[in-house]
Each structure stands twice: as structure tokens, then as C-alpha cells.
Amino acid sequence: MNRTCLLIFLLHFFSFSQSIENKIQYQITHYDTKSLGFGAQSWDIEQDENGLIYIANENKVLVYDGSEWNSVETNNAMANRSLFVKNKDSIYFGADGHFGLLKNKEEAYNDFEIYFLNNINKQLSDKTEEYWRIHQLDNEIVFQTFSNLYINQGNIITKIPAPCCFKWSYMVGEELFVNDYENGVFKLSESNLSNVFDDDQLNGNIIGVSSFDNEMLLITDTKGLYLVKNGKATLLQFSRSSEISSAQIFSFLKLNDGRIALGTVTNGLYIVDLNSGYVENINKLKGLQNNTVLSIFQDDEHNLWLALDYGVDYIKLNSSLKYYYDYYGLLGTTYAAVKNGGFYYLGTNQGLYTLDEEPTDIEEDFKLLLNGQVWNLTSINDEIWVGHDKGAYLVQDKDLIKIGSSKGAWDFREYEFSEEEFVLSPNYNGVALYQKENNDWQEYQLKGFNKSVRYLEVDSQNNIWLALRSEGVFKFKLDIDKKTLIQQSFFPLSDFEGVVLSLSKTKNDIIITSGFHMYTYNAENNSFAEEALGMNKGYAPRIIEKDTETWYVDNESVVIDTGDELVNLEELQNQLVPDVLNVFELDGDKEIIPIYGGFSAYIRNKEVSVKNTREDVLIRDFVSVNSDISYARKSRIPFKDNDLKVKYALPLFGKKVLYRSKINNEGWSDWTVSQERILYNLTEGDYTLQLKAKYDDVIKESSFSFKISPPIYRTPLAYIIYVLLFLTLVLVGIFISRYKMKKQKNRLIKLKEEKLQKQEQEYKAQKIEQERKIIELKNSKLEDEIKAKSRELTQVAYVNLNKNKILKKIRDKIVKIQEAPNVRSHDSNYMDLRRLVEYYITDKESRIFKINFDKSHQEFYERLSKEYPGLTSKDLRLCAYLKMNLSSKEIAPLLGISPQSVDVNRHKLRKKLQLDSEDNLTNFLMVF
């Protein structure tokens, strides 16, 4: 049986729709190019070896690195239709009226030079042609229009006209095919076209050529897919094939896993598995921005990019996670899921819903069975227990049975005792026990614990464990007869490491996780053994064992330990529902994970590894914050631009990438999703910026160097200038100093001359004044001398007058004696004469002389007395005589003492005047 017959055989087998499979979709990221400032319509998408995405968008080529969009404007008047990335430095583009090359400038970032190749020979190409496809064949670039193929061989362009009118061209392996509206499919060999398929019924409808099962696969717009064998085309039948044809196929791509992606005009994207006949449809109702898919591209992470009539969509095809989002609010946020008896049951914040495993209608939706908050769904002995806000329910097919009257059943656990059936349920008021009696379940609210508790587990010894996440863990024994919980132990939160805890039961153990630690219960000593859990498994996660896998679920992450590696479902971050720490198995290979506004499905062995997709962290831009100037590696950057922004990326679009960096010898920064770093106020010198990017368990590194030039005032030339200026200043200083000194000297000389002149004038004036004073003093002295002389003359005259009187009296007495008659008279007269002489022989003249002498030397006495206060009046008089240069003999009679006594007095006087032996007493007094 050939492959075509097999597909027809499988058609019936796969004709039913797997309901959950049709509900869940890949994660889709929208890029609204118009809102980003570009054109709404995009036509082609390519990727270079660094991972950068290039998009033909109206008159621009867009460049996207995962965080930042840039663009290169090729022609204002023409729309770009096609792209081909030869490498990161050479990107070929085709547009309306021209085709060309974007050449990345060496060591530049986002800076391209544009070369229009059809300008090489303006007669060769028609300005009205539109260049819709670009391919590389044998190192030659081929541009396709509706009328011609242009083969670019360096600077030589070869033109190959269409037999009638080309539609599209396609690379199948290493071969290039092109289809003609009237003449079918041709293969290009060197510069020749050879016909490989011709069918008048299909020629005008062919929009794609690919391969399947080593045969040619033809894709038509409205007539389906055909397999060509021995020149005969056979229509392939598979599920939804007629639906696809009616949607009008416009674009296609054979995916890495062999499936065919078909972009339609009216119903989005179809992904067809020709081996199984299974078809997936992604349209606007399921998340696309619009239904017209103009181009499909699969990147090196095996994910899809769609160029749409409006915007660009990214579909995370290579992922173990798919999603159902309740865009219309009909389902709500899923809390639990279970499959039983041909039905899927979903418990949400809005109610309990069901979905047939094999619905008759492909668009059949979830059906509501019960309104209200459904906290959990648990399958126990093929019965579905519903934990509801109003209490516990049992599901039988699509019927619900309310059990008991307790409110708020959180969860359910089977309890084995004496071969009877029991179920425990933590609820709003403690714990309820459900006991099967006469084939009906009876509810008993257990005594001994009355708090709302969400987590309950039963260990192998039938101990009941209850956990309040923010308080601690309780261990109870159950008294079945008294319907009472008997507390055995309480382990407060303070016994553990974190601020919350989670309770889990594995195959053999009760485990508490708190913070980044795990605590396993040891029954022998009624305590917990601590073990480091590690930061990569979440914070206080709940542990769920599934065959060979161990799941760690907390409020922020879901981590799976497969035994070989840790798989972190990073996509779920910020989508997980708080405190709904659970996953639910469906269909064996799927796990349902509750998220906001729907649910996520984890599909095992779905993801293809891309660990070595990138080599280095890509430097996207290195720009000055101040001037917006971009610099290349190893640039010498002026000091004015020493505030720098570095943008970098590891263009992985299907992985969460974290970055860290360091410059020179500083420490590494913390891991962050930020793809830029700003370096402020760098000083001059050499710098090396090192970068690390991390995704999964892979780390990629990169580095680049640059140099900050010193400011102009700190350059070697500046220092030379500073030295020259310093020397100049020194010389100028010396010159100025000398000039000033000379000027100062001249000024001082002038001042000195003026001073001398002034002093001379003052001296003359003083001399005149002194002479005048001397004259005055001389005159005064002369006057004093004249007065003294006058007094002396008067005194002398007075003395002389007295002497004359005395002499006259003596004469008269003598005459009287002579005339006396007798001796007795003579004696009496002699006696009178003697008395008269004695009377006049007194020191009166001497005292008068002394008085006059002292008056004439009064000033001399005063100066001596002031300088030497110990001098007596005799000492002063001796000084006056000595000043008059009189000898001892001459002074002796004046003082009435002997010359020897005068010498003794002179000796005493020397001591009083404190004169040395070599000093002359007379000279000293004469100049005093």
C-alpha cells in the first residue's frame, strides 16, 4: 500500500477531533508594527546567524533583536516584498521597481549602506516590476518577478524571462523551482528552465512546491494539496482539507519536523501533519491579529513568525506548553481538571464545566454543569469528587449529587480503615469525613479541629496531616467511632526556614517545604530532617510525584525534575494562580496547569533543544548618552562622551534570557532581564565590558574593549603645553620680576633721592633751626652771663662800696686814735677798730659769691641732679669748678679746703658719676 493510500485509510481514523487538543493553542506574541511606528503590512521575514529577525515592511526593512526594533529605509515610494539574508552583513531585498543589498558597515551597529543592484544595468530591468522572491542557488542570488528571473553574479546580472507569467518561486533542498500560470512548474538549472510538471487544470492555482515522501508536493490556492508521482498529481485527503482549500492558501512553509504550514487569506494558519492527517488551525478567534497570512518563517529555535496583512505574530511552536485562554469570559480561571468516562471536567472560579472527549462538532465548547467556585476535582475509585464553595459534590456522567451540608470543600483524600470506604475533605470549618453506608455517602464534620485548612494528607500509618501555610503543621489520629481528630503533634512555622510552608506526600514520606529547604518526617523521633532544596526549585513548593518525574509547584514557578535534568516552565511566570499548587494529568502525555483566564497544557517530549543556537552575546549598540553617537568595538571615545549606553541581546525568542555584566575588575552585576547597561562618568583609560547571558542551564559570554580618551586638558599635548606655558610663565615672571625690581629700584632710588633731598632740606632747616636755637641759646647765655656779670659787677661794686665804707671807718678810727690824748683812749679806739675789722671780716662776700655762682650754673646743676640724684651741693659746686677747668689748687681756696682734700673729693665724685678709670672727669663735665 503506497503512502497516498495510507493517508486515505487514515482519514476516517483521524476524522474525529480531539477536543482538548483543539482548544489549546501555542503561545502567540503580537507585534503591532503600525503602533511601533512602521507600516501595518509585512511581506517577508528572515533571520541571520546572530538570531536577528529581518522583516520586509512597506518601504523599510525592520530589524528586531528580541527587545528593540530598528529599521532601514530603502525607498520612500516603493514597498518591500521579499528578503534574503546571506549573512549578518549582507541582506538582499526586493521591492516594487528595484532590488538591492543592505551592507552592514564594518564594526557598526544597526548601520547599513544601501546598494541598488538593478542600477548596474538600467536597460536590463523594468522599473514597473515587483520583486517577490529572493533565493540563493550555487552562490548566486536569484530575484523573481512575475515576468523574469534575475541572477546576480557579482556585477553581472542575467535575465531569464517567464514562458508566460511567473507566479512564485521555491527552494526545495538545493533546487530552485518556479511555476508559470500557463505552463506549470519549472526547475532552474544554471541559466535554463526545464519543465517538471504541466497540468492545465492546476497550473493557474499552484502557489507552492515542496516535497513529501521523496515526491514533489504541489500546494494550490483553492484546490488542495497534490502529490506528484511519475508526472501524475494525486489529491491528498486529510481532516479539514476542504476547509483549508476554501480559506484560500496564500503562503506555505515546510517545517523542520516535516509538517506543512499553510497561510490562508481568510482563516489564518493551518499546520498539517501529512503522516497522521492531524490539522491545527490558528486564526483570529484563537489569537492572531488577523486572518491573512502573507508569509511564514521558522526561526532557528523552530518557532514561527507570520507576516500578516496587519502586524507580525510570533508563535511559540517549539514549546512543551500550549494554552487555552478564555478570551470571552465563558470559562474563567481554571483551578482543577480531570478526565473520566469519555469526558473532560474543568473546575474554575465560575463553575464546573464538561467537554466530550470526542465531540461531534469541531467548534463544540465547554458546557456548564454547576455554577460557583470549584476549588478542586479529585478522582477516587472512578468517582469524581468536586470541591465546591458550597460543599462536596459527586459527578456521575453529567449529573451532580450534593453530599452533606459542609461549606467550602477544598480537597479530598482517600482514608483506608477496616476495609471500609472513607474520604477526608478539608473545608472551611475543619475536616469532614465521608463514609459509605448502604452505597450512599454520609458526611460527618470531625471534632477536634475547626479552622479552615486547605491542605490535607494521610501517611502510611493513617496519621492525618493538616497544614496552615502561615502557621504550621498538625498531626492527628482519627477516632472513627467518635468522629474526632486527636492531635498528636504541632510543628509551628518557626520550626522551618521560610515565611510560608507547603505540605506534600510522596510515595513513602510526608514532606514539608519551607523557603528553599525540604523537611522529611521521621516517625521514630517525631521530627523533621532538614535538607537543602535549592533555589532553582522554587520557594516553599508543593511536591507532586508523577511516575519518574517530580514536580515542584509554587506561586511563581513550575519546575520538573525528569531525573536527567530540571525543566523550568518559565513561560508560566506571572500566569500562575496563587495557592493553587497543583497539576492535573490528562490523556497520559498532558498535564493541565491552572493559570489566570484559562489553563495551560504541558505536553511531554514536545520541545526540541536549542541549547547551542547562539554563540555570543550580541552587542546591538554602543552609544553616547550625551551625543547619541554610536561607537564600534575598540573605539577611542572622546572624554565628552564618557557617559555610555550599551545595548546587547542574545536573540532567543522562545527562551527567557537573563543577563549580567561587569567592567574591568569590578564584580558581576545581578542577573536581570534588562538588555542594556549605562556606564556613567568614565575616567580616561582602557575598558573591557564583559557580558553573560543565561537561559535554561546554558551560559553564553561576550566582551568588547574600548578606550576613553582623556579630556583635552589631560592629553600629552596638553601637558607639553602646560610645561611650555609654565616655562613661559616662569620667564614672564622672571622678566616681570626683573622689570618690577628695576622699576622698584628706580623708584627707590628716586624715593631715596627725594628722601635725601627732603632730608637735606630738613637737615638744612634743622641746621638753620639749630643754629637759630644755638644763637638763641648763646644769646640767652650771653644775656645770663651779662646778667651774671652785672650782678657780679653790682656785687663787686657793692663790695667795693662796703670796702670803701670800711676803709673810711678804719681811717676815721685811725684818725681818732691819732687825735686821742691818752693811751687809754687809744686802747679803747683800738678795740673799736678791732671790733670793726672783725665785724667786716665775715663770709658774707663768700656767700654772695656762692649764691651768684650757683645761679650762673643752675641749669648745669639741674641736669646733673636729674641724672645723678645722689650728688650733694658741694659735689655740684666741685663739678662746676671742674667744668670751668680749674685745678685742685685753684679750687681749694674756693672751697676753703686743702688741695689734697680737693683730690679726695674728686675721687669720690668719679665713683658717684660711675666713671671708669680711663675716663677724664674734667672732660666728662665739660661736655655734659
Side-chain angles (χ1 to χ4, degrees), residues 123-138:
Q123 303 300 320
L124 189 66
S125 62
D126 188 346
K127 288 293 184 182
T128 63
E129 289 188 287
E130 298 174 350
Y131 297 84
W132 285 96
R133 295 287 186 269
I134 307 173
H135 311 281
Q136 183 174 357
L137 182 65
D138 298 330

Side-chain angles (χ1 to χ4, degrees), residues 858-876:
Q858 186 66 37
E859 184 179 351
F860 176 70
Y861 288 164
E862 290 176 356
R863 285 189 285 116
L864 274 175
S865 297
K866 186 176 181 180
E867 187 72 21
Y868 303 101
L871 297 177
T872 63
S873 58
K874 289 183 178 181
D875 293 333
L876 292 174

